[in-house]
Amino acid sequence: SLYQRPFEQKGFQSIERKLEDGLVTFINNRTEKPLDEWVTILAGVNSSLSFFDPMSGNITQAATKRISPTQVAVRIALGPHESILLRSSTLPVASSKHQYPSAVVKTFPVNGPWKLEFLEGGPKLPKATSLDSTGFWTSLADTVAKNFSGTARYSTNFVLPEDKMTAWTLSLGEVSATVEVMLNGVSLGSYIGPDFKVAVPTSLLKKQNNLQITVASLMANRIAYMDRNNLPWKIFYNVNMPARKKENARDGIFTAAEWSPVNAGLKGPVLLVGNQ
């Protein structure tokens, strides 16, 4: 019935668990397109509906429309492959309203110069460098950077636009592979994608702002470097590691020596997006 699988009828995937004071539902958009739907669910007049964002840790009020004493419509807006937790509770949970996508937006590029500093990883730490714009560190001419796997920080300063906006979001563009975002010394959370968009509290924004984006890459480039230089890393107990593809085999054993560098870092573009 409608009230048994309401999220699936709107294109979402969901699973729910009962709590002492209500219900929590994990909601996922498994499609390749954004979904923005009003979903009618069972909820008493004393129930509060709030979202928990597992990426940022933010808890916000969901937009709702009361249909009847036992039914309420809740707005669910998720990008491709995004997920969120919806909690129905008899206790008030959230005070701030959830930030939904707006049809009327303005986009402001966060231009450079950017400073790129390598924090931890190997086989060697590349030297810090300045960039006119963001880009994968594997695109640098530095061979050490092409072989590097680990974490690096992109940082810049930007001026807040004078346009009056009701809400702000940072869109990071293309990232490989995960990031933590710091604005004016405050963490806005860690993100694993696939869509790297970060809600920005208006209370954190100043006229002059400092933005730091720390990226952690995959290990592929370092593994390839070690295989090219015959450095041992396949140290397992009682485990064989066969090559699934012929091009990854040498003497019957897996090798990454022929791999080209895998993109690593923050390609961008980084945009400050305002909702009117």
Side-chain angles (χ1 to χ4, degrees):
S1 70
L2 173 64
Y3 304 113
Q4 290 175 331
R5 307 299 295 173
F7 298 102
E8 279 68 14
Q9 293 194 6
K10 297 293 186 177
F12 300 100
Q13 297 284 321
S14 70
I15 186 170
E16 61 185 35
R17 293 290 184 268
K18 289 184 178 180
L19 303 175
E20 290 184 1
D21 62 331
L23 193 72
V24 64
T25 307
F26 175 80
I27 307 166
N28 180 225
N29 175 10
R30 289 192 172 185
T31 73
E32 299 297 332
K33 62 180 182 180
L35 293 177
D36 191 342
E37 301 284 350
W38 286 91
V39 182
T40 301
I41 62 174
L42 293 174
V45 292
N46 295 323
S47 296
S48 64
L49 293 174
S50 52
F51 290 123
F52 172 72
D53 182 351
M55 289 284 193
S56 64
N58 293 333
I59 300 175
T60 51
Q61 287 182 4
T64 60
K65 296 186 291 189
R66 176 59 59 180
I67 306 298
S68 75
T70 59
Q71 304 169 23
V72 67
V74 57
R75 183 183 175 189
I76 309 293
L78 295 175
H81 303 286
E82 282 188 335
S83 60
I84 205 161
L85 292 166
L86 174 66
R87 182 176 180 181
S88 173
S89 173
T90 55
L91 302 174
V93 178
S95 57
S96 59
K97 294 182 179 181
H98 185 70
Q99 181 178 323
Y100 287 93
S102 171
V104 182
V105 299
K106 283 191 174 182
T107 301
F108 307 91
V110 180
N111 296 317
W114 290 80
K115 184 177 182 181
L116 173 58
E117 302 170 275
F118 295 89
L119 307 178
E120 187 176 7
K124 297 179 181 179
L125 283 181
K127 294 180 179 179
T129 186
S130 295
L131 305 172
D132 292 331
S133 60
T134 54
F136 292 131
W137 66 66
T138 42
S139 298
L140 298 173
D142 185 359
T143 303
V144 177
K146 293 183 183 298
N147 293 325
F148 178 78
S149 294
T151 58
R153 181 171 58 229
Y154 294 76
S155 57
T156 193
N157 297 306
F158 68 91
V159 177
L160 181 67
E162 296 182 356
D163 303 61
K164 299 298 181 183
M165 297 291 172
T166 59
W168 293 96
T169 302
L170 273 170
S171 175
L172 305 185
E174 192 174 348
V175 178
S176 184
T178 66
V179 296
E180 180 185 14
V181 180
M182 300 277 293
L183 178 65
N184 296 326
V186 177
S187 175
L188 300 183
S190 298
Y191 298 81
I192 61 174
D195 193 13
F196 292 89
K197 292 183 179 179
V198 183
V200 179
T202 54
S203 58
L204 276 183
L205 287 165
K206 306 174 182 179
K207 187 174 182 179
Q208 296 279 346
N209 299 274
N210 176 256
L211 177 62
Q212 297 182 344
I213 302 171
T214 300
V215 181
S217 71
L218 302 176
M219 284 296 297
N221 294 335
R222 188 170 184 183
I223 287 173
Y225 171 86
M226 296 178 78
D227 276 348
R228 284 195 296 270
N229 290 276
N230 297 315
L231 300 174
W233 65 271
K234 307 180 191 76
I235 305 172
F236 305 102
Y237 174 75
N238 200 28
V239 173
N240 293 320
M241 192 169 179
R244 188 172 62 87
K245 297 181 178 180
K246 291 189 298 182
E247 56 267 32
N248 292 336
R250 179 187 295 168
D251 299 327
I253 299 175
F254 172 85
T255 178
E258 302 301 321
W259 286 3
S260 299
V262 174
N263 290 337
L266 172 65
K267 182 179 181 180
V270 179
L271 306 172
L272 186 64
V273 181
N275 289 1
Q276 290 184 325

